[in-house]
Amino acid sequence: MDKRFFKIFGLTEEQAIAIIDTPLEQLEDPSDKYIAVSHLINFPTEQSIAALVRAIETSNPDELDHRIVRRKAVESLGRLQVESALPVIRECLKDDDIYTIENCVWAIGEIGTKDPEILEDVAQLLDQPGQIYRVIIHTLANADYKPALERIQKFTESEDEPTRSAAIATVCRFTGDYSQITKVMELLQSSNVNARRGCIQDLIDSRYYKAIPEIARCPVSLVFRLRALRMLLDAGVPSGEITFAEFQPYLEQVLLDHPSNLDLVHEYDVTPVLNFVIEELYQTDFGRCYLAAKTLLDVYPEEAPAALLATYTNKAYNDYGGHYHVMKLLGWLKYAPAYDLLVENLYNKEPQFQKSRAACAIALGELGDKRAIPELKTCLNTPIWDLKYACLLALDRLGDSSGREICVHDADWLIRAKATIQ
């Protein structure tokens, strides 16, 4: 599990526990306790675990501030995968708050259990109205709790697309009959971004390798698509079910991430003005961002570079979504004056800008400036696999093969494969 984002609060373990053990009404700001239970994810110790359990047991689920702390404490125990906390988490399944229940079910899934009594408690939630059914189905599927099959089956017709996707995929897994999995794949083109993201996860869990080409073209953030392809490759290549060479083009298509290689689900009624298109780069639905990127490349190739630099200065420098698109577009536009900015951000180690580093590598390859070769080779020493792979792609684009020699014995099998296969 990636814990890079859990260290932003600056509390010591002792300070966080002290806040947790202070009655909520005595705190200057009730959110302090929420911060404390969040922060203990950094301390997988007995005292931290005990404090998180106390946070649950001493909270009053009838009061909102207590409820919020209770939810977060359950989540933290799940992230820490504390098996000994299962009894107290199971007890919270009786809460009236659907979001607490959601966190409990998710935490049970993260911790992992084959206890049929706990899993049956989770399955019985499928018969309760108003629950967040997707997470329930997902947890039961990953626990392989087949006694829930009939109850899950009724959600295969759910109007909620993410729930329907999870139900269909789980029925396929439990029965071994994958004839309906195409209904999950159809949701890769849903107008609902959560449905698109959710069905990708369901296809991963189903180990449905035939979906890789369609996943590669799905208009969601490349983070979701890269994760999917990486997990499917890590499962399928060692087992011999697929080969790296067979799906290498799709992996590289995702890393390059050109909007023309996506099946976009949005469209403009009329050609929008430049300022509107720039603002669309900040949408949380990356499907809209990719439509904007394609529009900038197709309609505004001359005006776009100046507009991108302006939005970088005003906003994108601090917005990881917009930042990513600006970096990538400067490369696709082959805007040579952006070289220094791209090199600067190639080394940006702030965790929220990680995907931008790979974008900068790709963009530098597109600029064709061979000064970038040593910069790209330096980044081959990173533990970040997608950045290394992007650097190899960029070096290939610049006509340099020495990066492959560096990576031929890399610890990551995928990087070794790229280094040895054209």
Side-chain angles (χ1 to χ4, degrees):
M1 182 190 66
D2 192 341
K3 298 181 182 178
R4 292 170 298 144
F5 297 102
F6 291 104
K7 298 182 179 179
I8 61 176
F9 302 119
L11 294 172
T12 65
E13 180 181 15
E14 292 73 20
Q15 288 171 331
I17 291 174
I19 292 171
I20 288 172
D21 289 334
T22 301
L24 202 60
E25 59 273 12
Q26 295 180 20
L27 293 172
E28 185 175 338
D29 186 343
S31 66
D32 287 349
K33 187 168 286 198
Y34 176 90
I35 291 171
V37 296
S38 302
H39 190 58
L40 286 188
I41 188 68
N42 297 301
F43 306 101
T45 64
E46 290 184 10
Q47 55 265 33
S48 284
I49 291 167
L52 290 168
V53 171
R54 287 196 301 275
I56 295 171
E57 293 177 334
T58 60
S59 61
N60 180 356
D62 294 329
E63 296 184 16
L64 179 59
D65 288 334
H66 286 257
R67 211 157 52 233
I68 291 171
V69 169
R70 189 176 175 89
R71 292 174 195 161
K72 195 64 180 182
V74 167
E75 180 186 326
S76 291
L77 288 167
R79 291 192 182 280
L80 289 170
Q81 298 182 317
V82 183
E83 188 172 357
S84 63
L86 282 172
V88 72
I89 294 173
R90 179 186 181 186
E91 191 65 23
C92 292
L93 290 173
K94 300 174 184 177
D95 281 20
D96 293 329
D97 177 49
I98 62 169
Y99 302 109
T100 300
I101 293 172
E102 178 188 25
N103 280 15
C104 288
V105 173
W106 176 86
I108 289 168
E110 285 294 293
I111 294 167
T113 182
K114 294 296 183 182
D115 186 323
E117 294 185 359
I118 294 177
L119 294 174
E120 181 55 29
D121 282 351
V122 173
Q124 288 178 7
L125 295 168
L126 294 171
D127 296 323
Q128 294 184 14
Q131 298 299 319
I132 301 171
Y133 298 111
R134 177 178 169 82
V135 70
I136 298 169
I137 295 169
H138 193 252
T139 294
L140 293 169
N142 287 342
D144 198 34
Y145 189 64
K146 292 181 180 176
L149 173 59
E150 187 174 337
R151 284 168 284 186
I152 293 171
Q153 178 82 46
K154 65 184 180 182
F155 290 96
T156 60
E157 302 295 331
S158 172
E159 292 183 5
D160 180 71
E161 290 179 334
T163 299
R164 185 166 77 242
S165 174
I168 294 170
T170 301
V171 169
C172 291
R173 292 166 65 183
F174 281 4
T175 63
D177 178 1
Y178 281 80
S179 60
Q180 299 299 305
I181 200 71
T182 53
K183 294 182 179 179
V184 177
M185 291 178 61
E186 288 171 3
L187 294 173
L188 291 168
Q189 288 296 295
S190 169
S191 60
N192 181 338
V193 65
N194 290 324
R196 298 198 300 271
R197 294 169 180 169
C199 75
I200 287 176
Q201 182 61 56
D202 297 329
L203 292 165
I204 296 170
D205 293 339
S206 301
R207 297 287 185 263
Y208 195 66
Y209 304 111
K210 292 180 181 178
I212 286 177
E214 284 78 10
I215 290 172
R217 296 187 63 85
C218 180
V220 296
S221 169
L222 96 160
V223 171
F224 293 96
R225 288 176 284 136
L226 272 186
R227 176 177 175 272
L229 267 63
R230 181 70 211 241
M231 292 182 74
L232 290 170
L233 287 167
D234 280 344
V237 172
S239 68
E241 295 172 89
I242 58 175
T243 66
F244 170 69
E246 184 181 4
F247 289 105
Q248 179 185 7
Y250 302 109
L251 176 63
E252 296 184 1
Q253 176 182 314
V254 173
L255 276 164
L256 292 171
D257 206 23
H258 195 289
S260 65
N261 290 326
L262 295 170
D263 294 325
L264 300 178
V265 296
H266 303 291
E267 60 181 5
Y268 299 133
D269 294 330
V270 296
T271 301
V273 297
L274 178 59
N275 287 344
F276 174 87
V277 180
I278 291 292
E279 285 303 309
E280 286 288 280
L281 297 176
Y282 298 94
Q283 291 284 339
T284 54
D285 180 347
F286 265 40
R288 303 192 71 87
C289 300
Y290 286 121
L291 175 60
K294 188 174 189 302
T295 302
L296 288 170
L297 295 173
D298 293 347
V299 180
Y300 295 109
E302 300 301 324
E303 303 96 325
L308 290 168
L309 293 177
T311 199
Y312 175 84
T313 301
N314 294 332
K315 189 175 178 180
Y317 77 95
N318 199 36
D319 181 290
Y320 61 86
H323 189 282
Y324 170 80
H325 294 295
V326 169
M327 295 299 105
K328 186 63 70 68
L329 279 163
L330 290 170
W332 292 127
L333 290 162
K334 302 188 185 304
Y335 186 62
Y339 175 84
D340 289 338
L341 181 64
L342 292 170
V343 170
E344 175 188 340
N345 282 285
L346 179 68
Y347 293 105
N348 187 340
K349 295 185 179 180
E350 292 297 319
Q352 65 269 37
F353 295 108
Q354 178 175 303
K355 68 176 179 284
S356 285
R357 298 184 69 188
C360 290
I362 298 297
L364 287 166
E366 290 303 308
L367 292 189
D369 190 330
K370 293 186 181 295
R371 287 182 298 161
I373 290 174
E375 310 288 359
L376 294 165
K377 288 171 66 175
T378 296
C379 290
L380 293 175
N381 294 319
T382 180
I384 304 169
W385 77 268
D386 53 302
L387 175 55
K388 279 192 285 194
Y389 205 118
C391 287
L392 288 174
L393 289 174
L395 288 167
D396 283 349
R397 186 85 166 123
L398 293 170
D400 183 274
S401 62
S402 60
R404 290 175 175 269
E405 298 168 13
I406 295 171
C407 293
V408 73
H409 298 297
D410 195 89
D412 188 327
W413 76 266
L414 194 59
I415 302 301
R416 292 198 304 274
K418 172 59 181 174
T420 54
I421 299 175
Q422 291 294 333

